[in-house]
Amino acid sequence: MKKTCFMKNFVCIICTAFLIFTTVSCGKSKLKNGTYTASVYGNNDYINVQTVFSAGKIASVKVLQHSETRFIGDFAIDTISKDIVDYQTVNADTVSGATVTSAALKAAVQQCITDAGGDISAFNKPVPPKGTKKDTVTVEKADIIVVGSGGAGLSAAVTAAEGGASVIVIEKMPVIGGNTIRCASAFNTADPELQKLLPMTDTLKKAVLKAINEKPVHTAHAQLIKDVKAKYDLYISSGTSTLFDCPEWHALQTFNGGDKVADVALIRKYTENTLDTLHWMESLGMPVRKKVSQGAGALWQRTHQMDSPAGTGIIGPLYEAAVKMNIPIITNMRADKLIVENDRITGVHAVDKFGSEYTYMASKAVILATGGYANNKEMRQKSNPGLTPDMVSTNQPGTTGDGIVMALEIGAGTTGMNYVQTYPLATPRTGTLQGRARKMSGLDNVINVNKEGKRFVNEDARRDAFVAAIKKQTDGMCYDINDSSIVEVKNSFNENVETLVALGRIYKADTLAALEEQLKMPEGSLQKTVSEYNRMVAAKTDPEFGRKLFANPIEKPPFYATPRAPSIHHTMGGLTINTDAQVLDTSGKVIKGLYAAGEVTGGIHGSNRLGGNATADVLTFGRIAAKAVLKN
């Protein structure tokens, strides 16, 4: 048995060859028959690949073990494994949206070829086209055409089908899930049942009092303040000591957190329906951890966490419901034009990956759920010149603003297009959300320190304030610091924490002094910072930065530090909609037959989205759109 190891750019390849039989010539190589294995680090963990060679050919490729994200990584694995065998090439097409997984799988097979004595160049021909362009336009019909298969699109499709409508979902990417499948699955909603387990501190009371005593900016804001005050007065008179929350308070924080420029009516519609959406998703099988926390930039302890990797616990139940209801989901189908007949949207024109044309006709409506424009560098820079082309993003590559472009062509209005959010705690250089030690997305038991080992920000602040503070630190980055009490074998993205430690993406030590040394911080700096923080936890007050959120002290070894840096995350601007999710034109009139939900819309989050509000938004407004179509 022979073993070879390579370590570069977080990729470790361990190969074992066995069952070596005869030697067969293959081009310039002498490929040995037998079974070989290789292990390459993919997106979430090592992908263990078994390759069998027989008669000078690749007889089979089998992935023995992987932790790649469902609907993304497993699709790439299945597709590429088959292509490698069918076409005898490692030059199989990369699956868009799963580039890391695709590259890892192909690298593992290449290593097996090398270990078997083969020549990679003999297995490097391109995969031929798997289809051709049709000369005719294919026409498909349904009551509702949904464009996009993320959380908004699938929640709309399933809700519409539950109401008896026929639905077709089209998706331009080869995989479903949109941004939702990649998210941290944080879902904000007022939830009396779970929030009764949390205390209401004096600091939190001050936050409520400050908000309800502000001077309103307009009548809708004034009424919202009045409604929150009425609920808060009842809460105080009840004598309870548990956390105060209600849809009105969630709405007021969303409005204030977005700099008071969002549409209060849209926000109210959102917060009044989030708990119902959560319960509906649970009825479909969405696994929700029975603990409420506060996500980064959430401002309040109302963040629910899915007990599944990334957003699979959201997309999985929706997809399974769609399959049971026989809802067609057509991937690799890019919608590029809305069809208008008699001043009404009656369908969409689309093109598949071979250039064949399709028209999807809707007897009731088209629902746009195409996501935002974080990866449309021209659009985002035009909207916000400060977003330079070199800036990385947490988003999937399909977020290029397609729905906005199509709707603009038929006279739709937009709002807040200059509001683009940067997430504070992403992975440096790559911009992904992954790579952290803690299981939960909440910051209840976490502090953030700079390279000097010092706290520099209120960790429960708004995301834009958090980002601004990080950018002022050395190298524009920081570290999540937490103890082992919130660490499990795998984090919320299905990554093995110990593997991340071994790869140098997370730092771990049995003492704070040792962690400090690993991070090359000034001696005693991190120890002093954590000691000061632990005293704040006991006192429930932060005299330096005004942190409101205190759960447990950081004291249980081992201790962890995760490098974090800002990354473009969410585009708050988009199509103008009303509370029924109907798209409005530039004069504010309803465009008949056109609805929109999710990040393709604007007006809900203002200039700054609260952490945990997006997942609840896309699922809730997807349902609102479908129900409105059925009603109208």
Side-chain angles (χ1 to χ4, degrees):
M1 183 165 66
K2 58 183 180 180
K3 185 176 181 181
T4 308
C5 264
F6 301 80
M7 178 71 78
K8 186 177 183 181
N9 296 330
F10 306 137
V11 175
C12 178
I13 303 175
I14 304 171
C15 296
T16 305
F18 56 93
L19 299 177
I20 300 176
F21 302 108
T22 59
T23 300
V24 182
S25 296
C26 182
K28 291 184 283 185
S29 64
K30 293 185 177 181
L31 188 67
K32 300 168 187 174
N33 290 342
T35 302
Y36 295 77
T37 61
S39 183
V40 180
Y41 196 84
N43 200 57
N44 300 334
D45 208 332
Y46 290 99
I47 302 174
N48 299 320
V49 181
Q50 180 189 84
T51 307
V52 177
F53 301 105
S54 177
K57 292 185 177 182
I58 302 172
S60 69
V61 171
K62 183 178 180 180
V63 173
L64 303 176
Q65 184 179 9
H66 76 88
S67 297
E68 303 302 272
T69 305
R70 185 186 176 195
F71 300 115
I72 304 177
D74 54 1
F75 176 82
I77 286 169
D78 292 344
T79 301
I80 293 174
S81 296
K82 186 175 186 303
D83 283 353
I84 289 173
V85 175
D86 288 351
Y87 302 103
Q88 292 296 299
T89 180
V90 291
N91 192 19
D93 294 337
T94 293
V95 173
S96 180
T99 55
V100 175
T101 304
S102 301
L105 175 57
K106 289 188 282 187
V109 177
Q110 287 177 16
Q111 188 60 47
C112 289
I113 292 171
T114 299
D115 282 4
D119 182 358
I120 298 298
S121 65
F123 297 94
N124 202 36
K125 62 183 179 182
V127 171
K130 299 178 183 179
T132 58
K133 182 180 179 180
K134 297 177 183 178
D135 294 329
T136 58
V137 177
T138 303
V139 179
E140 302 286 353
K141 297 179 180 180
D143 293 332
I144 300 171
I145 304 299
V146 177
V147 187
S149 67
L154 291 183
S155 63
V158 172
T159 301
E162 286 179 339
S166 61
V167 185
I168 296 175
V169 179
I170 61 174
E171 166 63 55
K172 77 170 183 179
M173 299 296 288
V175 294
I176 69 166
N179 266 351
T180 308
I181 195 68
R182 298 166 180 265
C183 76
S185 67
F187 185 111
N188 284 351
T189 186
D191 185 344
E193 186 63 27
L194 291 182
Q195 288 174 312
K196 69 182 181 182
L197 304 175
L198 301 169
M200 185 69 176
T201 65
D202 289 340
T203 303
L204 295 175
K205 288 180 179 179
K206 289 177 182 177
V208 177
L209 290 172
K210 179 181 178 182
I212 62 178
N213 285 293
E214 282 188 337
K215 182 179 178 180
V217 295
H218 47 54
T219 304
H221 184 204
Q223 185 61 51
L224 184 55
I225 288 174
K226 182 179 179 181
D227 293 345
V228 173
K229 187 177 185 304
K231 291 285 185 74
Y232 188 66
D233 287 344
L234 285 174
Y235 163 84
I236 293 297
S237 65
S238 72
T240 183
S241 60
T242 59
L243 186 71
F244 167 74
D245 204 3
C246 59
E248 294 82 1
W249 174 229
H250 185 187
L252 184 58
Q253 285 197 300
T254 298
F255 182 67
N256 290 345
D259 294 319
K260 303 180 177 68
V261 296
D263 186 326
V264 172
L266 288 177
I267 296 172
R268 278 183 179 265
K269 188 66 174 278
Y270 157 65
T271 61
E272 288 165 1
N273 287 279
T274 49
L275 186 58
D276 180 65
T277 298
L278 181 72
H279 291 160
W280 177 72
M281 287 295 300
E282 286 181 296
S283 76
L284 295 179
M286 183 173 77
V288 183
R289 293 170 75 101
K290 298 304 178 183
K291 178 184 178 182
V292 174
S293 62
Q294 180 174 320
L299 301 186
W300 207 251
Q301 289 173 283
R302 61 171 70 94
T303 305
H304 298 65
Q305 181 80 47
M306 305 312 116
D307 197 5
S308 56
T312 57
I314 301 168
I315 294 299
L318 288 170
Y319 173 75
E320 287 149 15
V323 171
K324 288 179 182 178
M325 295 178 178
N326 296 313
I327 300 172
I329 303 174
I330 316 300
T331 56
N332 287 307
M333 186 64 67
R334 180 175 59 85
D336 61 4
K337 187 177 181 180
L338 291 164
I339 299 170
V340 185
E341 296 176 340
N342 299 320
D343 295 324
R344 183 181 183 87
I345 303 302
T346 57
V348 293
H349 177 271
V351 181
D352 70 12
K353 62 180 181 179
F354 305 111
S356 300
E357 295 185 75
Y358 294 75
T359 56
Y360 290 90
M361 303 305 296
S363 62
K364 292 184 180 294
V366 170
I367 300 176
L368 294 177
T370 52
Y373 51 93
N375 277 315
N376 184 328
K377 296 182 179 182
E378 182 180 351
M379 182 180 285
R380 79 187 191 196
Q381 195 166 11
K382 181 179 179 181
S383 300
N384 188 330
L387 301 173
T388 56
D390 62 302
M391 294 179 70
V392 291
S393 168
T394 64
N395 285 210
Q396 58 101 356
T399 53
T400 51
D402 299 21
I404 296 172
V405 172
M406 286 190 292
L408 285 174
E409 289 176 351
I410 55 95
T414 60
T415 181
M417 290 293 288
N418 57 317
Y419 302 138
V420 179
Q421 183 177 76
T422 302
Y423 183 72
L425 302 175
T427 302
R429 295 182 299 280
T430 66
T432 65
L433 293 172
Q434 298 157 282
R436 65 190 181 206
R438 54 192 166 94
K439 176 73 171 183
M440 297 289 286
S441 63
L443 292 172
D444 309 48
N445 302 294
V446 178
I447 61 172
N448 288 92
V449 303
N450 55 24
K451 285 194 167 184
E452 290 69 45
K454 298 180 180 180
R455 285 181 68 224
F456 58 90
V457 70
N458 166 13
E459 289 88 351
D460 55 34
R462 288 170 33 150
R463 286 182 172 178
D464 53 353
F466 208 154
V467 168
I470 292 173
K471 287 182 176 179
K472 294 178 182 178
Q473 307 310 305
T474 303
D475 296 332
M477 59 86 66
C478 66
Y479 296 99
D480 263 5
I481 302 294
N482 59 270
D483 66 14
S484 59
S485 65
I486 58 170
V487 176
E488 298 181 21
V489 174
K490 292 192 174 185
N491 64 20
S492 57
F493 290 93
N494 210 32
E495 298 170 294
N496 186 291
V497 174
E498 287 302 314
T499 300
L500 293 175
V501 171
L503 293 173
R505 293 174 61 186
I506 292 175
Y507 299 87
K508 173 187 175 184
D510 290 329
T511 66
L512 288 169
L515 189 60
E516 195 177 77
E517 185 176 353
Q518 284 187 44
L519 300 173
K520 297 180 172 56
M521 291 175 174
E523 185 177 353
S525 59
L526 182 60
Q527 297 171 73
K528 180 182 178 182
T529 295
V530 172
S531 178
E532 290 173 346
Y533 170 72
N534 289 345
R535 287 195 292 271
M536 292 177 199
V537 173
K540 303 298 182 188
T541 183
D542 176 6
E544 186 171 5
F545 297 106
R547 175 172 171 150
K548 303 183 296 296
L549 184 63
F550 300 99
N552 302 312
I554 297 172
E555 58 185 8
K556 181 182 177 181
F559 302 95
Y560 297 83
T562 305
R564 302 280 85 181
S567 177
I568 293 175
H569 188 48
H570 191 97
T571 50
M572 279 81 69
L575 300 177
T576 308
I577 59 171
N578 62 18
T579 55
D580 277 342
Q582 293 173 295
V583 178
L584 308 180
D585 66 17
T586 53
S587 62
K589 294 180 180 179
V590 169
I591 298 175
K592 295 178 182 179
L594 185 62
Y595 295 72
E599 202 171 342
V600 70
T601 69
I604 299 171
H605 305 291
S607 63
N608 173 68
R609 178 179 64 79
L610 302 190
N613 266 9
T615 303
D617 164 25
V618 302
L619 296 172
T620 297
F621 264 95
R623 299 194 73 212
I624 288 169
K627 290 178 179 179
V629 173
L630 296 173
K631 179 182 67 176
N632 295 332

